């Protein structure tokens, strides 16, 4: 716990409840969002159930990740040696600022003014795009979802499907305003073709291309990307200069381990057996240049946290987001950070505890996120541990703090609990609505209070079972 004490303090905390309220009020969007993500969860279940050894794969994947993370320094050095031997220039970045500075130096010294890139949560984490654009470099997102979000000046709201909260009509509006497609045509094929025609010339014009990394193999110095649109291949192969941004936790030891994760990644993310493209970047093309940037940005510090280092096993499939009832009904923007959903609730506080102190409470703790995680991260347990830290650090509101104190006293005393439930039921049945739905009633702000039962369970038991049992004795 002490490892979080030195974390920087953000200026303003994310109000997840307030931002969620805006999303919840938009019924067509929330219905679509909920249905779309639950469909992905259902498809994931179908794929997982079709593989008899699925649970064995989860255990194996978790074991590989835990082994790698406990020998991370050795594997990182092995990766660097082999990548260098392949002709790649390897850089090390301790934080986002150093990562962005390295990328800019690579581009500026080669007079590159246009960069095409495929989807990368790490570059979002580093806030790289505005950094480069402020220095005169045009950055073009080439993943369809990322491009939609870029053109709409919004961050991605999902790790795998960045614009999943948008309807096709929303995309039609964005594209009409930015790339000149027909505002009244919301056909997905038409919109995808419009984006394709707009983006393709940038691949030919760009002086450099960039990708993230789904996996980085120490044994071969290889970077592996898994995509469905082919844009990572175009970004990495068409321009003469290639840059890959790699979080240090993406290392796996050997090529033979890759198959385990490839079998699980797309099945967990989208419910499809495999992505359309599994691309291996091993060295520069003829006459080209390749640079790998290994980025820490707080990962080493997280690795030292006894309760939270397991989150570094994440392979960014988003399965925990698809199954989470809170995320599905509150939307990704409500999390206020790069990572949304359950995985965001345990990663974001490691960057800034104060700013993201509300996120661990954006969960029902039902454990579904843990159950679907392909690398067996104990997500809901970590969420619970973060709640403890948030309270210890005093990062909860006065109202919630006092309510929890009162609840603790009531729940710890059976006699007091029975008196409280009986009194509350009478109050709910008799008090006027204007009194019950007051500003302090958070439950009643977005839903009706439940109908009070005529008697508590304890009263029912005493009347129906206790007396009978005593008679039988």
């Amino acid at each position: 716990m002490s490892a979080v004490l030195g974390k920087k303090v953000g200026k303003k905390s994310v109000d997840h409840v307030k931002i969620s309220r805006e999303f919840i009020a938009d019924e067509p969007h929330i219905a679509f969002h909920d249905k779309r993500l639950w469909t992905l969860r259902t498809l994931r279940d179908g794929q997982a159930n079709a593989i008899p050894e699925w649970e064995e794969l989860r255990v194996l994947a978790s074991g590989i990740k835990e082994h790698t993370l406990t020998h991370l320094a050795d594997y990182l050095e092995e990766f660097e040696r082999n990548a260098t031997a392949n002709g790649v220039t390897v850089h090390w970045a301790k934080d986002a600022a150093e990562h962005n500075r390295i990328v800019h130096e690579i581009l500026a010294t080669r007079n590159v003014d246009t960069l095409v890139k495929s989807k990368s949560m790490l570059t979002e984490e580093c806030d790289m795009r505005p950094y480069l654009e402020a220095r005169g470099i045009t950055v073009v997102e080439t993943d369809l979802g990322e491009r939609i979000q870029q053109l709409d000046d919004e961050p991605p709201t999902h790790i795998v499907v960045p614009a999943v909260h948008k309807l096709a009509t929303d995309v039609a509006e964005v594209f009409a305003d930015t790339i000149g497609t027909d505002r009244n045509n919301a056909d997905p094929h038409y919109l995808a073709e419009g984006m394709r025609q707009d983006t393709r010339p940038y691949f030919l014009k760009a002086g450099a291309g960039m990708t993230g990394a789904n996996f980085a193999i120490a044994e071969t110095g290889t970077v592996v990307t898994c995509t469905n649109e082919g844009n990572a291949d175009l970004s990495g192969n068409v321009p003469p200069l290639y840059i890959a941004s790699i979080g240090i936790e993406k290392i796996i030891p050997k090529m033979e381990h890759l198959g385990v994760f490839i079998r699980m990644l797309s099945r967990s993310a989208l419910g499809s057996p495999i992505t359309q493209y599994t691309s291996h970047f091993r060295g520069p093309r003829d006459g080209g240049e390749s640079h790998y940037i290994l980025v820490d940005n707080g990962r080493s510090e997280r690795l030292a946290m006894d309760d939270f280092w397991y989150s570094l096993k994440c392979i960014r499939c988003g399965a925990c987001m698809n199954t989470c009832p809170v995320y599905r009904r509150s939307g990704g923007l409500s999390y206020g950070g790069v990572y949304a959903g359950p995985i965001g609730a345990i990663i974001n506080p490691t960057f800034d505890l104060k700013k993201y102190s509300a996120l661990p409470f954006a969960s029902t703790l039902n454990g579904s996120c843990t159950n679907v995680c392909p690398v067996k991260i104990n997500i809901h347990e970590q969420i619970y541990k973060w709640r403890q830290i948030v309270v210890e650090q005093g990062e909860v509101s006065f109202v919630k703090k006092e309510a929890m104190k009162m609840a603790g006293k009531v729940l710890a005393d059976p006699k007091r609990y029975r008196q409280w439930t009986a009194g509350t039921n009478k109050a709910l049945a008799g008090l006027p609505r204007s009194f019950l739905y007051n500003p302090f009633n958070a439950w009643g702000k977005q839903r009706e209070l439940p109908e009070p039962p005529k008697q508590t369970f304890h009263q029912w038991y005493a009347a129906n079972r206790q007396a009978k049992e005593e008679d039988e004795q």
Side-chain angles (χ1 to χ4, degrees):
M1 288 183 185
S2 59
V4 302
L5 297 178
K7 283 293 175 188
K8 65 178 181 179
V9 176
K11 292 182 180 178
K12 189 175 181 181
S13 299
V14 173
D15 191 338
H16 178 264
V17 173
K18 181 180 178 181
I19 307 173
S20 299
R21 197 173 294 136
E22 298 173 10
F23 188 74
I24 291 169
D26 189 338
E27 291 186 9
H29 283 82
I30 191 174
F32 170 79
H33 193 256
D34 188 22
K35 182 180 179 182
R36 174 63 178 141
L37 293 173
W38 187 248
T39 299
L40 294 179
R41 160 64 203 267
T42 305
L43 291 170
R44 173 263 174 207
D45 290 350
Q47 290 291 331
N49 293 335
I51 299 179
E53 67 273 24
W54 181 259
E55 288 304 315
E56 293 175 25
L57 283 171
R58 290 181 71 208
V59 173
L60 185 56
S62 175
I64 293 170
K65 278 289 187 179
E66 291 186 9
H67 166 80
T68 310
L69 289 167
T70 53
H71 299 78
L72 188 57
D74 295 335
Y75 286 122
L76 284 168
E77 290 177 356
E78 182 182 353
F79 176 80
E80 181 187 33
R81 284 196 303 274
N82 289 322
T84 303
N86 294 338
V88 176
T89 302
V90 179
H91 308 260
W92 297 80
K94 66 178 179 182
D95 53 27
E98 189 166 14
H99 167 268
N100 294 344
R101 179 181 58 75
I102 291 171
V103 174
H104 179 249
E105 285 180 358
I106 294 171
L107 299 177
T109 55
R110 292 157 182 78
N111 298 316
V112 173
D113 61 5
T114 303
L115 173 72
V116 287
K117 65 179 290 289
S118 65
K119 191 160 69 62
S120 161
M121 296 306 295
L122 178 57
T123 57
E124 295 287 342
E125 182 184 312
C126 294
D127 215 14
M128 183 196 74
R129 199 168 63 218
Y131 178 91
L132 295 179
E133 289 173 343
R135 288 157 180 78
I137 296 173
T138 300
V139 181
V140 181
E141 299 288 349
T142 59
D143 173 87
L144 175 57
E146 283 283 352
R147 185 62 170 162
I148 293 169
Q149 293 303 93
Q150 180 185 19
L151 294 174
D152 201 22
D153 195 24
E154 277 189 342
T157 64
H158 189 287
I159 288 175
V160 177
V161 277
V164 70
H165 62 299
K166 280 185 167 67
L167 304 175
T169 50
D170 299 328
V171 178
E173 292 283 342
V174 173
F175 280 6
D177 290 337
T178 54
I179 63 175
T181 55
D182 182 357
R183 189 180 303 278
N184 298 314
N185 192 341
D187 175 64
H189 297 93
Y190 167 77
L191 295 171
E193 181 62 20
M195 184 271 191
R196 179 190 177 95
Q197 294 298 330
D198 178 72
T199 307
R200 283 302 167 105
Y202 287 108
F203 286 113
L204 301 176
K205 176 186 176 184
M210 171 179 266
T211 72
N214 290 99
F215 306 99
I217 303 171
E219 179 184 42
T220 60
T222 306
V223 167
V224 178
T225 61
C226 303
T227 64
N228 283 311
E229 301 173 23
N231 60 305
D233 299 78
L234 291 170
S235 299
N237 290 300
V238 175
L241 172 62
Y242 169 58
I243 303 171
S245 290
I246 310 163
I248 57 174
E249 83 284 11
K250 295 297 182 70
I251 295 285
I252 58 174
K254 295 180 179 297
M255 187 66 78
E256 67 187 57
H257 298 138
L258 180 63
V260 175
F261 297 102
I262 294 298
R263 291 188 74 189
M264 306 194 79
L265 178 61
S266 189
R267 285 184 167 91
S268 299
L270 302 171
S272 59
I274 195 169
T275 50
Q276 298 294 322
Y277 301 90
T278 301
S279 308
H280 296 235
F281 296 90
R282 191 159 184 164
R285 71 180 202 192
D286 290 344
E289 235 185 303
S290 291
H291 294 256
Y292 294 165
I293 307 175
L294 292 164
V295 186
D296 188 318
N297 202 35
R299 287 160 174 76
S300 293
E301 193 171 353
R302 201 188 319 161
L303 190 58
M305 297 178 179
D306 291 340
D307 292 328
F308 302 113
W309 72 273
Y310 299 100
S311 65
L312 291 166
K313 295 193 296 182
C314 178
I315 60 173
R316 304 289 192 267
C317 68
C320 62
M321 307 168 79
N322 301 341
T323 197
C324 177
V326 176
Y327 172 78
R328 293 203 315 270
R329 293 170 177 83
S330 61
L333 295 177
S334 64
Y335 290 78
V338 172
Y339 302 102
I343 194 65
I346 63 174
I347 289 180
N348 289 330
T350 67
F351 294 122
D352 191 329
L353 178 61
K354 181 177 179 62
K355 180 176 181 180
Y356 299 111
S357 59
L359 300 191
F361 297 92
S363 170
T364 63
L365 296 181
N366 59 50
S368 182
C369 48
T370 299
N371 290 337
V372 300
C373 177
V375 289
K376 298 180 76 70
I377 300 173
N378 57 337
I379 299 174
H380 74 292
E381 293 176 356
Q382 291 192 41
I383 290 173
Y384 177 66
K385 290 181 183 297
W386 272 119
R387 289 186 182 183
Q388 294 175 307
I389 292 175
V390 168
V391 171
E392 288 171 4
Q393 298 290 310
E395 299 294 347
V396 292
S397 68
F398 174 79
V399 173
K400 179 175 283 187
K401 189 187 299 182
E402 293 304 309
M404 289 300 105
K405 280 183 183 177
M406 186 181 299
K409 290 180 180 178
V410 171
L411 294 173
D413 184 338
K415 183 178 179 182
R416 184 178 293 174
Y417 174 77
R418 288 195 290 273
Q419 292 172 340
W420 182 82
T421 51
T424 301
N425 288 342
K426 288 181 181 177
L428 289 175
L431 289 173
R433 184 178 178 83
S434 59
F435 184 86
L436 292 174
Y437 291 86
N438 61 67
F440 297 102
N441 181 4
W443 175 277
K445 288 178 180 176
Q446 293 165 338
R447 71 209 109 185
E448 289 292 310
L449 292 166
E451 188 72 21
K454 294 180 180 177
Q455 59 184 170
T456 66
F457 174 76
H458 185 267
Q459 291 167 339
W460 176 88
Y461 183 85
N464 294 277
R465 295 290 175 84
Q466 194 172 24
K468 184 178 179 182
E469 290 174 359
E470 289 174 354
D471 290 343
E472 290 175 351
Q473 290 175 357

